[in-house]
Amino acid sequence: METKIMECVDRRRQELIDFAKDIYRHPEAGFCEFRTASRVRDFLEGLGLKVETELARTGVSASLPGGDGPHLTVIGELDGILCPRHPMADKETGIAHACGHHVQLAVMLGAAAALTDPAVRKCLGGSVSFLATPAEEYVDAEKRRWLEKEGVGFAGTGKGELIRLGAFDRTDIALTTHVHMVPVKEDFYLGNPACNGFSSEMITVEGKAAHAAVAPWDGVNALSIANSAYNMIGLMRETFREEDHVRLHTLVREGGQALNCVPDRIVVESKVRAASLDAIEATREKVTRAFEGAAYAFGGKICRERLQGYLPVRYRPADKALQKAAQCLKGYTCREAVPGDFNNACTDVGDLTHLMPVVNFTYAGFCGGLHGEDFAITDWDKAAIAPAKLMALTVYYLLKDQAAQARWIMADFTPAFTRDAYVDFVRKIIGER
Ligand SMILES: [Zn+2]
């Protein structure tokens, strides 16, 4: 059966590579991946599957029914990242596939092709969905407002919105992949390293306008308040613990209007990353105190609007099914996640890991930096074909023998949130809008 699964993927080799190259040439932004979604739909329909579309605007899902056994969901991500200098960036939007989501979709579809084979299907003691999710990359505040008007409830992340809409209600175990996100020299990295979560905020600094030359003493300089807050945050960095992996980013979205006028309004978008919800919260409070303190000193005012972030990824070592699947792939090198491995970036897979077990692996086959203009796929077998085999084989090992491995994982897992608790948690952050 293992050989058959791998042959099914090999038979589609060129088709899968062509698919990924096509998506690479047509990158789309989060929640707007309409063309990409239609290509995924076409492929899944070509396998004879019934396809649902427009989940959280652009999400696409197809299921392989399998009785009342465990339900697995294999995930692929639809969006590109804003990277205007990338040679393949869309000329108008600046979006490019500089994070490898185009090959990740091919991995999901390759696995779907193998698992829909009638002989393979017969061995599965459960059902499988293939779910292409919108908007894995950060959605900025301005776009979130627009999306909220368009009816997206949780406009910060595709997976969060899909959780809210109930798209994961049937899922017992999710399966995710990505190109390597931590430094790994092997071809495959099995398991999920712990990973930062983040919280985000729009901070509006209100000052008072005045003529910059005639009467600056009548004004309250919002830019000075923001600068002072930046200085304070810089000095606070010595209070960040190494194990919390704190990363702080800010962007000035509005920096004043007229040079001869004391700036009365500055808008800063901030992002606090850290390894735990407590550390995110503690750091967020420090940022808040810096802005509030600076505003107090100058006599200005701060307005803050919290935005939905991503939850940290909960560490998960390589599951037995994944290990066994990797042993089938000859000629590839492999290493497993160990406690202490850490990814400083963030992904909305973190939200999923709080609700369900997420079986994850990452793979090589690319050069350049993630989200960088030099990112490119260099080895299609390592980045698409072998990972598709690994995904299909992992599903097979999870669901064979009446899904013994899947059932073991489910029994062993304690969720941090139910769906309703998750929705309440996010609502508390963003407020009722
Ligand atoms: Zn990514």
Side-chain angles (χ1 to χ4, degrees):
M1 195 49 64
E2 287 85 341
T3 311
K4 186 167 188 56
I5 289 170
M6 290 192 277
E7 280 171 3
C8 285
V9 176
D10 279 329
R11 234 179 290 132
R12 303 252 182 185
R13 185 179 181 280
Q14 201 51 50
E15 194 185 342
L16 292 167
I17 294 171
D18 291 345
F19 175 91
K21 285 183 175 171
D22 173 64
I23 301 299
Y24 186 56
R25 283 192 297 268
H26 300 93
E28 293 176 299
F31 287 118
C32 297
E33 313 94 332
F34 295 104
R35 182 187 182 278
T36 311
S38 74
R39 294 299 139 109
V40 172
R41 182 201 60 209
D42 292 348
F43 194 103
L44 290 168
E45 281 179 351
L47 297 175
L49 297 171
K50 207 171 144 272
V51 181
E52 273 181 89
T53 57
E54 296 177 29
L55 306 166
R57 280 170 70 86
T58 53
V60 180
S61 172
S63 286
L64 206 58
D68 53 8
H71 186 95
L72 312 190
T73 298
V74 179
I75 291 175
E77 290 157 348
L78 292 162
D79 59 331
I81 170 90
L82 186 63
C83 190
R85 295 174 78 108
H86 192 281
M88 294 302 287
D90 183 283
K91 296 278 173 294
E92 268 173 36
T93 61
I95 300 287
H97 274 294
C99 199
H101 296 183
H102 59 308
V103 284
Q104 194 198 70
L105 286 172
V107 171
M108 179 188 78
L109 296 174
L115 293 164
T116 44
D117 180 273
V120 179
R121 266 182 92 159
K122 262 193 211 140
C123 305
L124 307 180
S127 48
V128 193
S129 289
F130 304 95
L131 175 61
T133 62
E136 187 274 333
E137 308 288 359
Y138 183 78
V139 179
D140 71 34
E142 200 179 324
K143 187 170 169 193
R144 289 182 194 211
R145 288 199 194 101
W146 172 74
L147 285 166
E148 282 167 4
K149 282 195 198 110
E150 297 282 304
V152 179
F154 291 174
T157 115
K159 293 184 193 68
E161 175 68 350
L162 287 169
I163 293 170
R164 185 185 76 86
L165 293 169
F168 285 101
D169 284 1
R170 281 169 64 215
T171 305
D172 295 307
I173 300 172
L175 291 103
T176 55
T177 59
H178 204 277
V179 294
H180 288 324
M181 295 173 85
V182 293
V184 177
K185 59 178 188 323
E186 288 80 2
D187 298 326
F188 286 109
Y189 175 70
L190 311 181
N192 226 348
C195 168
N196 267 337
F198 77 85
S199 151
S200 192
E201 226 164 48
M202 289 297 276
I203 302 170
T204 304
V205 184
E206 305 275 11
K208 186 169 168 251
H211 195 292
V214 176
W217 39 85
D218 286 339
V220 175
N221 191 321
L223 189 58
S224 299
I225 295 173
N227 274 332
S228 302
Y230 273 119
N231 283 332
M232 282 191 260
I233 292 165
L235 292 168
M236 285 172 178
R237 284 180 195 265
E238 69 177 1
T239 68
F240 301 164
R241 288 173 224 265
E242 276 82 354
E243 63 264 36
D244 288 336
H245 295 270
V246 176
R247 300 284 188 276
L248 265 176
H249 321 285
T250 53
L251 268 184
V252 177
R253 293 283 183 199
E254 284 179 41
Q257 263 105 33
L259 207 48
N260 59 359
C261 193
V262 171
D264 64 342
R265 181 184 149 95
I266 301 293
V267 181
V268 171
E269 188 166 354
S270 79
K271 187 172 183 182
V272 173
R273 302 186 204 242
S276 69
L277 290 176
D278 286 347
I280 292 171
E281 200 48 36
T283 311
R284 203 180 64 77
E285 271 173 36
K286 288 174 191 176
V287 172
T288 302
R289 287 203 300 267
F291 274 93
E292 296 284 358
Y296 173 75
F298 284 83
K301 220 177 98 196
I302 303 294
C303 300
R304 294 181 302 118
E305 178 195 347
R306 283 195 70 183
L307 307 170
Q308 178 187 10
Y310 299 173
L311 296 174
V313 169
R314 296 163 89 193
Y315 165 71
R316 183 172 185 87
D319 287 288
K320 220 186 258 168
L322 187 53
Q323 291 168 328
K324 286 189 77 175
Q327 282 162 15
C328 301
L329 295 169
K330 303 288 175 236
Y332 290 92
T333 54
C334 192
R335 105 166 162 82
E336 292 184 12
V338 291
D341 284 359
F342 197 84
N343 176 7
N344 286 305
C346 303
T347 161
D348 61 356
V349 171
D351 293 46
L352 281 186
T353 65
H354 283 69
L355 279 85
M356 64 193 68
V358 178
V359 175
N360 176 73
F361 66 86
T362 64
Y363 43 85
F366 64 99
C367 67
L370 285 184
H371 297 191
E373 59 190 281
D374 54 351
F375 179 89
I377 299 300
T378 50
D379 185 325
W380 290 92
D381 284 295
K382 284 184 181 176
I385 304 307
K389 293 176 186 174
L390 183 56
M391 178 59 88
L393 288 162
T394 304
V395 170
Y396 165 70
Y397 281 117
L398 286 169
L399 290 183
K400 77 191 274 266
D401 304 328
Q402 281 84 51
Q405 280 298 319
R407 288 179 202 277
W408 186 88
I409 289 174
M410 287 154 62
D412 184 56
F413 183 78
T414 313
F417 287 116
T418 60
R419 194 247 287 188
D420 289 347
Y422 171 82
V423 170
D424 285 349
F425 172 83
V426 177
R427 284 244 178 273
K428 258 190 212 122
I429 291 172
I430 64 172
E432 295 293 339
R433 293 192 198 155

